[in-house]
Amino acid sequence: MNRDTWTLERDHVDLRRPGVEPRVVTLDAAPQRLTLDLARTAVVVVDLQNDFCHPDGWLASIGVDVSGATAPVEPLRATLPPLRAAGAQVVWLNWGNRPDRANLPPGVRHVYDPDGSSTGIGDELANGSRVLTEGSWSAALVDGLVPEPQDVAVAKFRMSGFFDTELDSVLRRMRVDTLLFAGVNTDQCVLATLSDAACLGYDVVLVEDLCATTSPRFCTDATLYNVRQVFGFTTTSAQLRAALTA
């Protein structure tokens, strides 16, 4: 349902938006338990795509161990259907650059390629796909994740999914104010997007086991600490599902 619409007639326009029935749940979280309205909530799934997670993708090709990057896939497959059924929106936020890279400054173009001698954004992989290019295999979701027709996809071009994208506009048109975060990497693109969301006034909840990273464990520990300390809350998919069935 389009939540940001008018009712139009030949001689009358009703500016009231459609009412949405609240879907209230209370769940265990840290540092406190949470009560939220799933009808005003979106799950933002960040960068669970081949270049970050697949053994033939970009990070693996430059020597990064991606063996744990797909850990969120199965818990996501179990958690998204009941969240959708309860009224939550799902947004797939994948890094997918312009083929000409015209909007990328050098500091972004050379992420993971600091001296220009390795494979960088937009370069070709051994399988012929171009790194993080929109519409390519590299930018596609990993196997096992299939969007539903009512889901929304947004392309991103920076660590944060809010910078230079339509993500904020899409979420506001959905009438959403609470965001559940999933994806990779926990300490990089997930955290950057979450912190920007908090600065924009969204309520933010990081779902721990729906996120993963190729960074050392201490990076995750620091991220969880900072989310709980200054940005919002953390929970788990099991706690979410328990709240949905309570």
Side-chain angles (χ1 to χ4, degrees), residues 47-49 52-54 59 65-73 142 183-185 210-214:
D47 288 351
L48 273 174
Q49 58 198 96
F52 294 124
C53 304
H54 196 281
L59 292 194
D65 179 5
V66 299
S67 58
T70 56
V73 170
V142 294
V184 296
N185 282 302
L210 299 188
C211 298
T213 186
T214 56

Side-chain angles (χ1 to χ4, degrees), residues 3 23-25 27 29 34-45 83 87-91 162 167-168 170-172 174-181 194 197-198 200-207 231-235 240:
R3 296 180 177 182
R23 306 285 182 86
V24 179
V25 297
L27 63 146
L34 293 177
T35 296
L36 54 87
D37 181 1
L38 289 175
R40 299 293 299 270
T41 296
V43 187
V44 180
V45 186
L83 281 172
Q89 308 289 308
V90 178
V91 177
F162 283 99
L167 179 60
D168 186 47
V170 167
L171 293 170
R172 295 192 190 280
M174 289 177 167
R175 320 295 284 178
V176 158
D177 48 38
T178 299
L179 303 180
L180 305 175
F181 279 91
L194 180 150
L200 287 166
Y202 294 97
D203 305 321
V204 298
V205 184
L206 188 147
V207 188
F231 294 121
F233 307 87
T234 68
T235 189
L240 268 174

Side-chain angles (χ1 to χ4, degrees), residues 8-9 13 23 31 38-39 51 53 55 74 115-116 127 146 154 177 180 189 192 204 207 211 216 224:
L8 303 175
E9 300 173 0
V13 176
R23 306 285 182 86
L38 289 175
D51 262 350
C53 304
E74 288 310 312
D115 62 1
N127 63 9
V146 179
V154 175
D177 48 38
L180 305 175
C189 291
V204 298
V207 188
C211 298
L224 296 178

Side-chain angles (χ1 to χ4, degrees), residues 92-178:
W92 301 94
L93 181 65
N94 276 24
W95 199 316
N97 293 306
R98 294 166 52 102
D100 61 9
R101 300 176 289 188
N103 62 325
L104 298 185
V108 176
R109 288 186 62 172
H110 293 292
V111 169
Y112 286 104
D113 180 30
D115 62 1
S117 64
S118 183
T119 304
I121 291 177
D123 292 339
E124 191 171 296
L125 297 174
N127 63 9
S129 185
R130 293 181 62 189
V131 171
L132 296 181
T133 299
E134 188 170 20
S136 69
W137 173 89
S138 292
L141 288 171
V142 294
D143 290 344
L145 295 177
V146 179
E148 292 293 321
Q150 69 269 31
D151 297 349
V152 174
V154 175
K156 63 191 273 291
F157 323 107
R158 301 289 194 276
M159 292 290 187
S160 170
F162 283 99
F163 192 87
D164 199 26
T165 77
E166 69 270 25
L167 179 60
D168 186 47
S169 292
V170 167
L171 293 170
R172 295 192 190 280
R173 300 291 71 75
M174 289 177 167
R175 320 295 284 178
V176 158
D177 48 38
T178 299

